[in-house]
Amino acid sequence: ALPICVGVFGGGCKVQGVSFKKLVFSLCFFHALVQERRNYGPIGWNRLYEFNETDLRISVIQLQNFLNEYPNVQFDALRYLIGECNYGGRVTDEWDRRCLTTCLQKFYTKSVIKTNNFKFDKAGKTITKFQFDEQISIDMYVLMLFKEYITALI
């Protein structure tokens, strides 16, 4: 089962639905990066960490709660919870923690929600576009964006 599913998150957020979808995609991309770094042994992480879908799921739940509770996105609080508690709670090496939080700062930023056609790479070669259709479920939306992003890399 997908960790980001309609049964758990329904329509996303009542007030900040667009921001929620953008930040969920960004969070999923961050999760993929964290997982991928494990494949490179000590070059990826100094120690082996067991990051899993639970880290992603609790991070999305926290994101949803914060967006439903506050009128503005609380980036500092979300980055702390995700980088230091959810994912960072498993990290024992200080350099790995620094790497993790630095990566998270690239994915959880105002630019993600403020910039149309936000690009995750500085070269701007990727074509990830945030187009929204409120009728599309969150899991389908994330899958579509991942597919588009990966296709652009090929």
Side-chain angles (χ1 to χ4, degrees):
L2 292 172
I4 313 300
C5 60
V6 176
V8 175
F9 301 107
C13 290
K14 301 170 197 121
V15 180
Q16 301 186 60
V18 172
S19 295
F20 180 67
K21 285 185 177 182
K22 287 182 176 186
L23 290 171
V24 165
F25 175 74
S26 193
L27 184 60
C28 289
F29 204 88
F30 169 75
H31 180 76
L33 176 125
V34 167
Q35 293 285 59
E36 185 67 20
R37 286 183 66 92
R38 292 177 11 172
N39 294 334
Y40 296 97
I43 295 173
W45 299 111
N46 289 330
R47 294 194 170 89
L48 183 62
Y49 302 110
E50 292 298 323
F51 300 116
N52 57 45
E53 300 300 321
T54 306
D55 300 319
L56 176 61
R57 180 182 282 276
I58 190 66
S59 297
V60 173
I61 290 170
Q62 288 170 338
L63 171 64
Q64 185 181 35
N65 289 341
F66 268 78
L67 291 181
N68 281 333
E69 194 69 30
Y70 298 98
N72 297 320
V73 180
Q74 304 296 308
F75 284 105
D76 290 336
L78 287 166
R79 281 191 296 257
Y80 178 80
L81 285 172
I82 294 165
E84 298 291 336
C85 300
N86 303 345
Y87 286 86
R90 300 180 187 281
V91 178
T92 55
D93 183 82
E94 188 58 37
W95 287 103
D96 286 343
R97 182 181 311 280
R98 185 175 177 184
C99 179
L100 182 90
T101 56
T102 300
C103 290
L104 183 59
Q105 286 177 353
K106 302 278 186 192
F107 289 95
Y108 254 37
T109 178
K110 288 181 183 177
S111 299
V112 170
I113 58 175
K114 299 287 183 196
T115 306
N116 288 332
N117 300 327
F118 180 77
K119 311 274 192 274
F120 285 103
D121 66 333
K122 290 187 181 202
K125 293 181 181 179
T126 56
I127 312 171
T128 301
K129 297 175 185 165
F130 292 111
Q131 296 175 338
F132 303 100
D133 180 353
E134 293 299 323
Q135 304 303 315
I136 297 175
S137 66
I138 294 165
D139 53 341
M140 285 304 297
Y141 176 75
V142 170
L143 288 173
M144 287 175 12
L145 284 176
F146 267 129
K147 182 180 176 186
E148 179 184 341
Y149 192 84
I150 291 167
T151 303
L153 294 175
I154 297 175

